[in-house]
Amino acid sequence: MAMIEQLARLAERGGVPDHLELLRESIARFVRTEVLPVEGALPPDARELPKAQVHELRMKAKAAGYWMLQAPRELGGGGLSAFEAAVVGEEIAKHKFAFSSAVFGREPPVALYNGTPEQIDRFIRPAIEHGWETFTAISEATGGSDPARAIRTVARRDGDHYVINGQKMWTTHIENATYGIVYARTDLSAGRRGISAFVVETDTPGIEITQVPVLRNHWSNEVSFNDVRVPAENLVGQEGQGFALAGQWTERGRLFIASFALGVAEASMQLAIAHARDRETFGAPLATRQFVQFAIADADTELAAARWLVWDAAMLYDRNPAAARPAVSAAKAHATEVAFGVVDRMMQIFGGMGVAKEMPLEHWFRDLRVCRVVEGPSEVHKYVVARELLGAVATARPQWPPV
Ligand SMILES: Cc1cc2nc3c(=O)[nH]c(=O)nc-3n(C[C@H](O)[C@H](O)[C@H](O)COP(=O)(O)OP(=O)(O)OC[C@H]3O[C@@H](n4cnc5c(N)ncnc54)[C@H](O)[C@@H]3O)c2cc1C
């Protein structure tokens, strides 16, 4: 069941306002008429949209009112609810370089929404207005699933500055960023409550960036902070508040990535449907083969089910963000796993062309493989759900000596 039919069913129950359907349709048209032709003209082995064309597309997206739709309206963004963003996120994703190029803008680090008015004026508003690239540096080589324990980077107060030392891993977009948020320990004995967040401008002396090539086309970075001095006013919130700051905005990011995964998988299914109608083997169209019929029927069913899960979690989030975490975890893990499986099976319907670089499928396949790890690996999200269901016993540690 395509998204449009699912939306229509929700609309029958009064769940979808007209403005959302209009926005969804107009973004889908923008992707079809503005973005796909640009991508179609690139050589098959292009790894990303050229910068000049990204800039041009961004200007058009901005002029059309499709800019930073997730960011709060009062800060210059589109102010969409989590549900609205999940619906349009699927359409935004239906092009080859959706995960890397951010034609519709990439939100600044969400922890900064809780910054001081001065921090918001200096860092958030211009990032939203001009589409500045930014980064978030939490993960380290010691671990990303459980950063509260893994973070070794420290920030020591020195007069009216903090001095940051340590190494971050997987810091994405820092190579083009104006600034970002770095999570560092300000109190070595306070565990999770000893971690603070700092705005760090990328031209600050002492930052060394080394690219980390990965499976997908847009790579990440290892970053060394060697006596990096940041003004004390760049501390976001209070010392020790680092993780509390991003708060429920983290859940919104996960829902958005889930909707992207579904959009890409839906696009791959539509491509496979057209191909199965057209392509003949052994004297009959592929569409007559039960393997193909089942693959498409299963893909549609799995995507529709995952979509309801994402929408349900998003609607719960909009009503009560504090209660939505397990539902969002279930939705993120399920949608990304389902989307990966769907794209894999649609590639098979294409035979050799499924793995050819001139098709978007192999590119999406690699992006989706990474999606199953970033914004929390699927297993960690399942752990969040299980913890909710099982209660305290799920986190009990074996006692020693045994009693
Ligand atoms: C391409 C890319 C871009 C990234 N961008 C950023 C970025 O911009 N900023 C940033 O801070 N980080 C970023 N990350 C880091 C990402 O968030 C982490 O890789 C992720 O959180 C997992 O951490 P880890 O790699 O250290 O794996 P680990 O924490 O070592 O976990 C390894 C595996 O163990 C399993 N596992 C872990 N805990 C549990 C549990 N409780 N229950 C069951 N299974 C479990 C999971 O399968 C997991 O994949 C990026 C990563 C990649 C690959």
Side-chain angles (χ1 to χ4, degrees):
M1 188 182 9
M3 172 163 70
I4 192 151
E5 285 151 34
Q6 278 184 275
L7 269 180
R9 284 202 186 173
L10 257 193
E12 276 168 25
R13 296 171 203 155
V16 185
D18 289 346
H19 80 266
L20 179 58
E21 179 50 22
L22 274 176
L23 181 64
R24 188 199 70 74
E25 269 176 31
S26 55
I27 287 181
R29 197 173 323 113
F30 183 91
V31 169
R32 269 197 314 274
T33 57
E34 300 288 349
V35 187
L36 293 186
V38 173
E39 286 185 344
L42 295 175
D45 60 346
R47 293 185 52 223
E48 58 185 357
L49 275 170
K51 280 198 172 60
Q53 284 168 309
V54 174
H55 179 72
E56 210 174 295
L57 287 168
R58 287 178 145 214
M59 292 299 103
K60 287 183 182 172
K62 204 171 178 187
Y66 309 145
W67 187 243
M68 300 271 185
L69 290 166
Q70 283 252 79
R73 195 181 286 275
E74 62 276 16
L75 300 180
L80 294 191
S81 69
F83 172 64
E84 291 167 331
V87 171
V88 303
E90 275 199 50
E91 300 303 339
I92 288 175
K94 287 181 182 169
H95 63 101
K96 186 170 180 179
F97 297 115
F99 283 100
S100 56
S101 302
V103 166
F104 300 87
R106 201 174 347 258
E107 257 190 296
V110 290
L112 252 182
Y113 291 151
N114 288 316
T116 60
E118 293 74 31
Q119 287 172 337
I120 285 177
D121 285 344
R122 187 164 164 213
F123 296 110
I124 287 276
R125 288 186 197 283
I128 291 176
E129 189 182 343
H130 306 299
W132 284 354
E133 198 67 85
T134 56
F135 69 89
T136 297
I138 300 175
S139 305
E140 302 191 3
T142 40
S145 300
D146 183 15
R149 286 185 184 77
I151 287 179
R152 303 279 182 274
T153 298
V154 290
R156 181 179 45 81
R157 182 85 192 224
D158 180 23
D160 54 3
H161 280 73
Y162 284 90
V163 182
I164 300 179
N165 278 289
Q167 281 203 325
K168 291 290 176 183
M169 184 68 180
W170 305 120
T171 311
T172 313
H173 307 304
I174 190 172
E175 70 279 17
N176 296 315
T178 310
Y179 71 87
I181 299 281
V182 177
Y183 288 75
R185 272 185 208 283
T186 40
D187 182 342
L188 300 185
S189 60
R192 187 181 183 81
R193 293 201 183 81
I195 292 170
S196 309
F198 297 90
V199 182
V200 178
E201 292 175 85
T202 35
D203 59 2
T204 314
I207 298 177
E208 240 175 76
I209 301 171
T210 312
Q211 212 169 39
V212 180
V214 291
L215 174 82
R216 71 182 183 191
N217 282 342
H218 67 289
W219 293 351
S220 202
N221 302 284
E222 186 173 4
V223 187
S224 295
F225 294 88
N226 307 309
D227 287 330
V228 173
R229 291 179 72 81
V230 297
E233 64 262 24
N234 283 23
L235 171 70
V236 189
Q238 305 296 315
E239 275 193 18
Q241 263 192 337
F243 285 125
L245 290 166
Q248 288 138 5
W249 283 97
T250 311
E251 262 77 67
R252 290 204 52 154
R254 290 175 178 157
L255 286 166
F256 204 50
I257 212 173
S259 72
F260 256 54
L262 295 179
V264 156
E266 169 83 27
S268 77
M269 186 181 76
Q270 295 304 337
L271 288 172
I273 288 172
H275 182 69
R277 286 186 177 132
D278 206 40
R279 178 79 161 185
E280 286 196 2
T281 64
F282 300 92
L286 280 181
T288 62
R289 314 287 173 199
Q290 201 175 46
F291 145 67
V292 174
Q293 295 170 358
F294 279 14
I296 287 171
D298 287 347
D300 190 52
T301 309
E302 289 169 22
L303 290 177
R307 186 176 293 121
W308 282 128
L309 201 60
V310 171
W311 286 359
D312 186 56
M315 285 189 269
L316 175 60
Y317 177 94
D318 287 334
R319 281 198 308 278
N320 184 358
R325 187 155 187 227
V328 171
S329 279
K332 191 274 177 182
H334 190 65
T336 50
E337 295 287 339
V338 159
F340 179 74
V342 165
V343 170
D344 181 37
R345 280 175 271 140
M346 298 305 107
M347 286 168 85
Q348 195 69 11
I349 292 175
F350 274 95
M353 285 310 287
V355 296
K357 289 215 178 270
E358 72 180 77
M359 297 284 298
L361 296 174
E362 69 82 42
H363 180 85
W364 288 337
F365 180 77
R366 289 181 289 118
D367 271 347
L368 286 172
R369 184 63 191 84
V370 175
C371 281
R372 293 168 55 203
V373 173
V374 298
E375 294 285 340
S378 301
E379 296 74 20
V380 173
H381 287 300
K382 288 181 190 178
Y383 175 60
V384 170
V385 176
R387 226 171 30 188
E388 176 76 7
L389 294 171
L390 292 163
V393 69
T395 49
R397 297 281 173 261
Q399 292 197 17
W400 191 261
V403 284

